[in-house]
Amino acid sequence: DALLLIEQFGADGMRFGVLSSSPAGGDLKFDTKLCENGRNFCNKLWNALRLIKGWNITEGTLSESQAKINSLAGDWMHHRISGILVEIESNFKTYRLSEALVTVYSFIWDDFCSWYLEMIKPKYGEATDQATVDAAVEIFEKLMLILHPFMPFITEEIWQQLRERDQSTACIISSYPTPSSTDAGLLSNMERIKDAISKIREVRNNRGLKMSELLEVFILDSAQSRELFQLAGANELVVKLGNLGYLEFTSVEIENSVAFLAQTEQYFVKLEQKIDIEEEREKLTKELNYFTGFVASIEKKLSNEKFVNGAPPAVIDN
């Protein structure tokens, strides 16, 4: 009973549950857990609004490092949104409404809320500048327009509260966003940076290190790593979200450290605690075996003439 679902999960929660359970060409497998996910998503959106609205705004300028981070984060968001719009439009054309909704949901929850807002969020007790807030509001507005056909009530409410509006404007009568060009290189580099931050946090969790404890991290010097960290704001971003004392290049392996690979870059997290070498060797051996098997499976595909002739050139190049 849709009315009972609305009473329990809200209209947008119910809509989310119904739409996300309808993949093209498949039987409809409905579960009220999907409506609960929709309600939780509404809460996530509302908390994002409260976060932005709760920031203190300073008349002064930001630190140089935070200004670089905010500029990089903003560029990344705009290019990601453009790519998402292309993906959504493709799903619309083939009536894959469930896939379109899940794409938007994942992007807003992960990239916007979990990454972008963390990148630009001022430190506790500190303030941000008006330009940062305006940029975040502009992005949030665009996301509400994208999500509006699926979840019209929460998106209209947030859109109206993001900035002062007159009575002649509304989310529902605004133009749907259109994609622009995307910078594939920037998007790829940001995934490498995010992977490094995630791995640093993983080391911290595995070793029981407090978030307040500043870590010393080194990057193995290579042409690829140098190219990555030439990106303005990249170093500052890893230092901020990884909570590092510093991040430097090294030409040698660092003693008494935990090493990890983040896509193409090798990192070393220096530790002051004793390391069980055999345990680390076992972990790294398992990782090495996994990647060796992965490479072997790729080489097997590339040696298969039928696969090479049938796959798109972009897949072969990748």
Side-chain angles (χ1 to χ4, degrees), residues 51-52 54-62 66 70 120-123 125-134:
L51 177 68
I52 294 173
W55 287 340
N56 294 322
I57 299 175
T58 179
E59 296 297 329
T61 56
L62 297 174
Q66 188 60 56
N70 292 357
I120 66 170
K121 185 173 71 174
K123 292 181 180 179
E126 297 184 5
T128 188
D129 64 346
Q130 188 63 54
T132 298
V133 175
D134 290 344

Side-chain angles (χ1 to χ4, degrees), residues 20-249:
S20 60
S21 69
S22 308
D27 294 335
L28 305 187
K29 298 178 181 179
F30 183 76
D31 188 335
T32 55
K33 180 71 176 176
L34 297 169
C35 295
E36 186 179 338
N37 291 344
R39 181 181 62 190
N40 293 343
F41 188 35
C42 289
N43 291 338
K44 188 78 170 179
L45 295 170
W46 195 255
N47 287 336
L49 173 67
R50 290 177 58 195
L51 177 68
I52 294 173
K53 286 292 187 180
W55 287 340
N56 294 322
I57 299 175
T58 179
E59 296 297 329
T61 56
L62 297 174
S63 66
E64 183 180 355
S65 63
Q66 188 60 56
K68 286 182 178 179
I69 291 172
N70 292 357
S71 176
L72 176 60
D75 289 344
W76 171 61
M77 265 286 108
H78 285 296
H79 287 286
R80 278 287 286 132
I81 289 173
S82 186
I84 288 295
L85 285 168
V86 172
E87 189 175 340
I88 292 170
E89 182 60 27
S90 174
N91 284 324
F92 280 163
K93 286 180 178 178
T94 53
Y95 300 100
R96 296 180 180 273
L97 302 184
S98 174
E99 287 84 345
L101 175 56
V102 171
T103 296
V104 182
Y105 165 79
S106 299
F107 172 69
I108 293 177
W109 191 292
D110 296 330
D111 288 357
F112 179 69
C113 293
S114 298
W115 283 101
Y116 173 72
L117 292 181
E118 284 297 313
M119 292 175 188
I120 66 170
K121 185 173 71 174
K123 292 181 180 179
Y124 180 75
E126 297 184 5
T128 188
D129 64 346
Q130 188 63 54
T132 298
V133 175
D134 290 344
V137 166
E138 181 185 346
I139 290 169
F140 206 170
E141 284 177 327
K142 188 173 287 188
L143 295 179
M144 293 303 93
L145 290 172
I146 295 171
L147 184 61
H148 188 70
F150 303 99
M151 306 175 75
F153 302 102
I154 186 78
T155 51
E156 184 73 70
E157 184 67 26
I158 291 175
W159 193 85
Q160 294 289 348
Q161 292 201 29
L162 280 169
R163 68 173 84 231
E164 289 187 11
R165 315 274 185 189
D166 60 50
Q167 293 183 344
S168 65
T169 61
C171 184
I172 194 170
I173 58 173
S174 300
S175 298
Y176 199 77
T178 55
S180 54
S181 60
T182 56
D183 186 338
L186 172 62
L187 296 178
S188 174
N189 286 337
M190 283 299 292
E191 289 306 310
R192 291 159 69 187
I193 292 169
K194 285 167 58 187
D195 191 29
I197 294 168
S198 297
K199 295 285 178 61
I200 291 170
R201 289 173 172 175
E202 189 178 310
V203 170
R204 192 185 287 276
N205 290 334
N206 291 341
R207 298 285 168 175
L209 302 172
K210 296 179 180 178
M211 192 61 192
S212 58
E213 186 176 342
L214 298 179
L215 299 180
E216 300 174 8
V217 177
F218 298 84
I219 318 158
L220 190 63
D221 202 344
S222 68
Q224 289 176 313
S225 60
R226 285 283 179 182
E227 181 185 5
L228 174 61
F229 283 93
Q230 281 180 353
L231 186 64
N235 187 292
E236 292 82 358
L237 182 56
V238 176
V239 168
K240 178 183 179 179
L241 295 191
N243 201 32
L244 310 182
Y246 59 83
L247 178 67
E248 294 181 0
F249 284 99

